Amino acid sequence: MREREIVTLPDDGSVAADGAARLLAALAAAQSARGVASVVLTGGGIGIAMLEAVAASPDVDSVDWSQVEVFWGDERFVPAGSEDRNDAQARAALLDRVALDPARVHPMASSTPGPSALESEDSADPDQGAQAYAQVLTEAAARLGEGVPGIPAFDVLLAGCGPEGHTLSVFPDSPAVHATAAGVVAVRDCPKPPPTRVSLTLAAARSAREVWLVAAGEGKAEALAKAAHGATEVEIPLAGLAGTERTLWLLDEAAAAQI
Ligand SMILES: O=C(O)[C@H](O)[C@@H](O)[C@H](O)[C@H](O)COP(=O)(O)O
């Protein structure tokens, strides 16, 4: 596994701004190389702040948004349209402000029962939502090329982390972190509300060419230090984040303070 790159910035605002500039450059480079670029979004304050910074960037049009495929690394299993959903927050922050091709935006299932939407297979059952997303990823891998079997070689996968070391919706010593196959899983009794979610496994996240962990605040410092000093992914799931070509930690000084 290639060495992690750790970039430290003064504060959360500069992490979001730097991440936004890097993301625009990475998507443009991917389009130059392969035509279509793919990005995996996540939730949380810094992840959404980064999308807002992308939307506000003077370089936002350096990317042909109609040729960007958007996926999620995890999603809260709540009704469609809930403001708790990562996709709702991403749409408000960026996706509704750029000219994406709706057919290339792949939300995870919501808990809204009823007729299945084309992509998300909305259902009242997160396991069905996870299975439906696995199918979306298999079909996307056929279009975009796969990193690990059945999972696209995403160009950039974004992830945040929690104070106890969770990333995506994979928590320490949880069924999701013990799910070693590359896939999509339902998460129940999640320590971070809302309790029910759908998430990529860490093995699926490692299908990405580049994996970027974006974190700010002293609350993340201990978990990041443990991961930097050899903790296992079962203990500290963020330790299991790695891209096939690059693993980047974008941290503010407070989050990096104990590394
Ligand atoms: O759905 C979620 O909640 C996210 O996927 C979660 O993994 C988040 O990225 C981290 O908890 C960091 O969140 P903050 O940036 O708000 O601390």
Side-chain angles (χ1 to χ4, degrees), residues 8-12 15 215-218 221 251-258:
T8 304
L9 295 143
D11 54 30
D12 56 352
V15 169
E218 63 181 354
L251 311 177
D252 73 352
E253 288 168 3
Q258 297 180 31

Side-chain angles (χ1 to χ4, degrees), residues 42-47 74 76 86 160-162 166-169 192 197 220:
T42 192
I46 197 71
D74 68 317
R76 289 88 176 276
N86 291 334
C161 67
H166 85 257
T167 191
L168 306 176
S169 290
K192 176 180 180 182
R197 293 152 173 258
K220 316 296 173 75

Side-chain angles (χ1 to χ4, degrees), residues 186-242:
V187 175
R188 293 178 172 84
D189 305 320
C190 184
K192 176 180 180 182
T196 308
R197 293 152 173 258
V198 175
S199 182
L200 297 187
T201 61
L202 292 174
R206 290 192 284 263
S207 184
R209 291 186 175 89
E210 299 198 17
V211 173
W212 302 359
L213 174 64
V214 185
E218 63 181 354
K220 316 296 173 75
E222 183 182 358
L224 288 162
K226 286 178 178 176
H229 297 127
T232 69
E233 66 184 37
V234 172
E235 297 163 324
I236 304 285
L238 74 88
L241 291 174

Side-chain angles (χ1 to χ4, degrees), residues 70-195:
V70 181
F71 302 88
W72 274 266
D74 68 317
E75 184 58 273
R76 289 88 176 276
F77 195 69
V78 293
S82 164
E83 63 184 21
D84 271 345
R85 282 191 54 93
N86 291 334
D87 68 351
Q89 295 176 29
R91 290 182 194 281
L94 173 63
L95 307 188
D96 288 350
R97 301 160 68 179
V98 290
L100 288 159
D101 175 352
R104 293 186 185 275
V105 179
H106 308 288
M108 288 180 163
S110 78
S111 64
T112 307
S116 296
L118 175 67
E119 290 274 348
S120 64
E121 295 288 329
D122 285 349
S123 73
D125 177 348
D127 289 300
Q128 285 179 1
Q131 289 161 15
Y133 210 68
Q135 183 56 35
V136 167
L137 294 181
T138 298
E139 291 163 5
R143 276 199 313 279
L144 300 171
E146 61 182 27
V148 301
I151 309 291
F154 306 112
D155 289 301
V156 178
L157 180 140
L158 303 177
C161 67
E164 77 299 290
H166 85 257
T167 191
L168 306 176
S169 290
V170 180
F171 282 76
D173 200 19
S174 66
V177 82
H178 289 291
T180 53
V184 189
V185 291
V187 175
R188 293 178 172 84
D189 305 320
C190 184
K192 176 180 180 182

